[in-house]
Amino acid sequence: MRRVGGILLLVLASRTASAAPPEAAAAADPWLARPVDDQNFQTYLEFFAYDRKVPFDSRVIGNEEKDGVKREHLSFQSTRDARFFANLYRAAGSASGKPPSVVLLHGGSSAGKDDPFVPLMATLIARAGYMVLAIDMRYFGERSTDLLKTFIEQEKYERLYNQPPLYLAWITQTVKDVSRSYDLLVEERGADARRVALIGMSRGAIVATIAGAADRRLAAVALLYGGHFGATEREHLPAACPANYIGRISPRPLLMINGTRDTVMNKEASVEPLQRLAKPPRTILWAETGHQTPTEEHRSALLRWLQESLK
């Protein structure tokens, strides 16, 4: 089974061995029942402020062309203390002008943006006429550190996802990275500022829920096989809780694709409670699958949704 990789932002998390009891995940978080009010939410946005005057200092590491799509491997400065790596995908011979774009976030795979699903999805979207920037999140891919060594589920949960202060810092940096990705696409790569979407898969979808609400320049948000909590997640701080953000993506289009047999993002405990907080315009699709890449049918549905949302 492949895992998904992150302007379209696609995020992927790895598969877990067993699911927590639905009542355990639901009871752990009061914000699913009552998200924070607008006054408190505004204080969360302060976490994601960044200096837009920091130079990108973008560097091209390599180029290749395959199957009619050009891929540019690059790095650029996000915040003063964080530099990250990305792959930029464009259709070969694409027309000039300001293209619609996608920021793509991977999930919990050790390979990050180079997980096999990410180029698969990025290529599919690029062929449809979009510029796609897939980035590495901190601790993954080319940004790996000693924090995660094996990338097994237990390690990721115990060292990152279930460490509330560290997890909030990770969320905060990734949201800033998404915003800087938007800046780079628009200011250096000529993307249409009004037509940039964010797509995330699994853990990336959780991050995309937060980033999509925090940065309102993003025109649309797609969450693929995401949810509120992973199967063995115990707690997080309110500023890192997607329940406090998903309703604030509106009035921009929101797409959610999930699997009814997913043991990582459980349908009853993790997904449906979050869906109930989403506001129109929203599109919710279900597949009779576990935690995996979207089916061919739903990949086609994603492209149709992008076309409609970024027209």
Side-chain angles (χ1 to χ4, degrees), residues 76-252:
F76 58 99
Q77 202 71 21
S78 178
T79 52
R80 293 191 183 278
D81 59 348
R83 186 173 187 87
F84 65 107
F85 297 84
N87 289 327
L88 182 68
Y89 297 82
R90 286 179 284 194
S94 54
S96 59
K98 293 184 176 294
S101 303
V102 170
V103 174
L104 182 62
L105 289 182
H106 64 81
S109 166
S110 62
K113 69 182 183 316
D114 295 312
D115 182 82
F117 178 76
V118 180
L120 172 70
M121 201 69 187
T123 297
L124 174 72
I125 297 168
R127 283 177 178 161
Y130 300 85
M131 185 160 50
V132 182
L133 187 69
I135 69 173
D136 275 329
M137 296 188 288
R138 178 175 278 179
Y139 308 131
F140 296 90
E142 292 183 273
R143 299 178 73 184
S144 62
T145 69
D146 289 339
L147 179 71
L148 301 176
K149 297 180 180 180
T150 67
F151 291 88
I152 62 173
E153 292 302 296
Q154 182 180 0
E155 181 190 57
K156 287 184 292 185
Y157 279 90
E158 293 308 314
R159 293 193 175 187
L160 180 58
Y161 304 154
N162 283 328
Q163 298 293 331
L166 178 62
Y167 183 65
L168 175 58
W170 180 73
I171 288 285
T172 298
Q173 184 61 53
T174 308
V175 171
K176 292 178 182 179
D177 294 343
V178 169
S179 293
R180 286 287 280 177
S181 296
Y182 175 99
D183 295 341
L184 181 89
L185 285 166
V186 172
E187 295 175 23
E188 284 205 349
R189 300 308 174 108
D192 188 337
R194 299 174 299 104
R195 295 190 295 162
V196 176
L198 173 63
I199 298 177
M201 171 70 187
S202 189
R203 181 60 51 174
I206 291 176
V207 181
T209 306
I210 297 172
D215 193 333
R216 301 197 64 80
R217 299 174 301 174
L218 296 162
V221 179
L223 311 175
L224 313 181
Y225 286 82
H228 165 255
F229 259 173
T232 56
E233 204 161 344
R234 295 189 300 267
E235 61 176 326
H236 49 216
L237 295 170
C241 179
N244 290 324
Y245 293 84
I246 192 166
R248 293 176 164 94
I249 293 173
S250 177
R252 294 161 296 154

